Amino acid sequence: MTDRPAYTLVVLISGSGTNLQAIIDAIQEGLPATIAAVISNESSAYALKRAKQAGIATEVIDHRMFESRHSFDDKLAAVIDSYRPQLIILAGFMRVLGKSFVDHFQDRILNIHPSLLPDYKGLNTHQRVLDDDKTYHGCSVHVVTSVLDSGPIIIQAKIRIKDDDTAGKLQQRVQQMEYKIYPAAIRLFAEGRISIVENNIYIDGECQRLPILVTEED
Ligand code: GRF
């Protein structure tokens, strides 16, 4: 037994929550963290069911109920703060967060993006990679800054594109890797091994010039 308090997460979702599930499963298997709440901007998101099944508090904050992006962000920040998390995990959260929100939680928000950033920021990454006839694709866990999909990258997973890959098949293959690298990134924080200084990632005190790279063989 350790008397160190569990590392507290709040997870933001909008959809099915398979990444949320991977994090819940990783915690059950020993990842030293706890999810204080799952917050959705969509009341029908399946991820809310997953959270409830795991006994995790849920909140719905519907962005359509707010006059402006700013007022939504302010409410979201206040609800997150009420759970006092150390880290905020974006797991398929389909809202862009404004600068004051990001500044409020500086270096404490992570996102998972389905591409080998800095390539293919934005949406429809799987189809865009196929259209460009690329050899490799993947996913990235990065720190959120106020520039979309551009914060420091902690860990990436790289897969080789197969001849018969479609956007749907690629999405599935990439997601299998997401379920590995998101809990791995959270573990670095929960174990106190990572710090971020002026947009540089330090792991065990060493500045990382490149993200950690995971492949399908790992
Ligand atoms: C993930 O594939 C992730 O790359 C992207 O949104 C998707 C969310 O899927 N950011 P899920 O809700 O975790 O199933």
Side-chain angles (χ1 to χ4, degrees):
M1 278 284 283
T2 166
D3 50 12
R4 196 168 56 157
Y7 196 81
T8 304
L9 316 173
V10 162
V11 182
L12 307 190
I13 55 88
S14 300
S16 80
T18 58
N19 276 280
L20 168 68
Q21 191 65 56
I23 297 164
I24 292 171
D25 294 347
I27 290 171
Q28 272 163 9
E29 286 156 23
L31 171 65
T34 184
I35 303 176
V38 169
I39 305 177
S40 178
N41 64 313
E42 298 286 353
S43 59
S44 61
Y46 187 72
L48 292 169
K49 290 207 176 86
R50 298 181 190 272
K52 284 177 188 149
Q53 267 163 20
I56 300 167
T58 61
E59 305 260 4
V60 175
I61 307 172
D62 184 343
H63 58 281
R64 301 169 199 88
M65 307 294 281
F66 294 82
E67 268 177 14
S68 65
R69 189 179 286 280
H70 195 77
S71 55
F72 169 73
D73 281 5
D74 280 354
K75 173 69 178 173
L76 183 59
V79 174
I80 292 171
D81 275 337
S82 74
Y83 288 97
R84 307 175 69 84
Q86 277 130 315
L87 205 56
I88 295 122
I89 304 296
L90 309 187
F93 184 65
M94 300 306 286
R95 301 296 300 166
V96 175
L97 296 162
K99 184 173 179 341
S100 63
F101 181 97
V102 172
D103 287 349
H104 180 75
F105 296 110
Q106 192 186 353
D107 296 336
R108 289 168 51 208
I109 313 172
L110 301 187
N111 183 40
I112 189 147
H113 181 78
S115 79
L116 292 169
L117 289 171
D119 296 341
Y120 300 100
K121 297 172 184 178
L123 299 173
N124 301 324
T125 57
H126 310 298
Q127 188 59 54
R128 286 160 59 207
V129 164
L130 287 176
D131 291 346
D132 289 349
D133 235 345
K134 291 287 183 184
T135 310
Y136 292 103
H137 186 31
C139 48
S140 310
V141 176
H142 67 94
V143 180
V144 173
T145 62
S146 53
V147 186
L148 189 68
D149 298 334
S150 297
I153 302 164
I154 298 167
I155 181 167
Q156 291 185 311
K158 187 174 181 179
I159 64 170
R160 180 183 272 276
I161 296 171
K162 296 177 179 167
D163 288 345
D164 65 346
D165 267 330
T166 60
K169 282 186 187 174
L170 262 187
Q171 180 184 9
Q172 282 184 9
R173 292 182 60 212
V174 167
Q175 281 188 326
Q176 290 306 315
M177 302 305 286
E178 293 180 358
Y179 308 150
K180 291 186 185 176
I181 67 170
Y182 221 173
I186 294 167
R187 179 177 285 278
L188 290 171
F189 283 86
E191 292 181 344
R193 296 180 55 202
I194 191 165
S195 56
I196 299 137
V197 183
E198 290 171 0
N199 280 349
N200 291 305
I201 308 266
Y202 289 77
I203 297 177
D204 299 331
E206 282 210 13
C207 187
Q208 307 292 298
R209 288 183 36 247
L210 295 170
I212 299 169
L213 188 63
V214 172
T215 64
E216 283 174 301
E217 289 75 46
D218 292 321

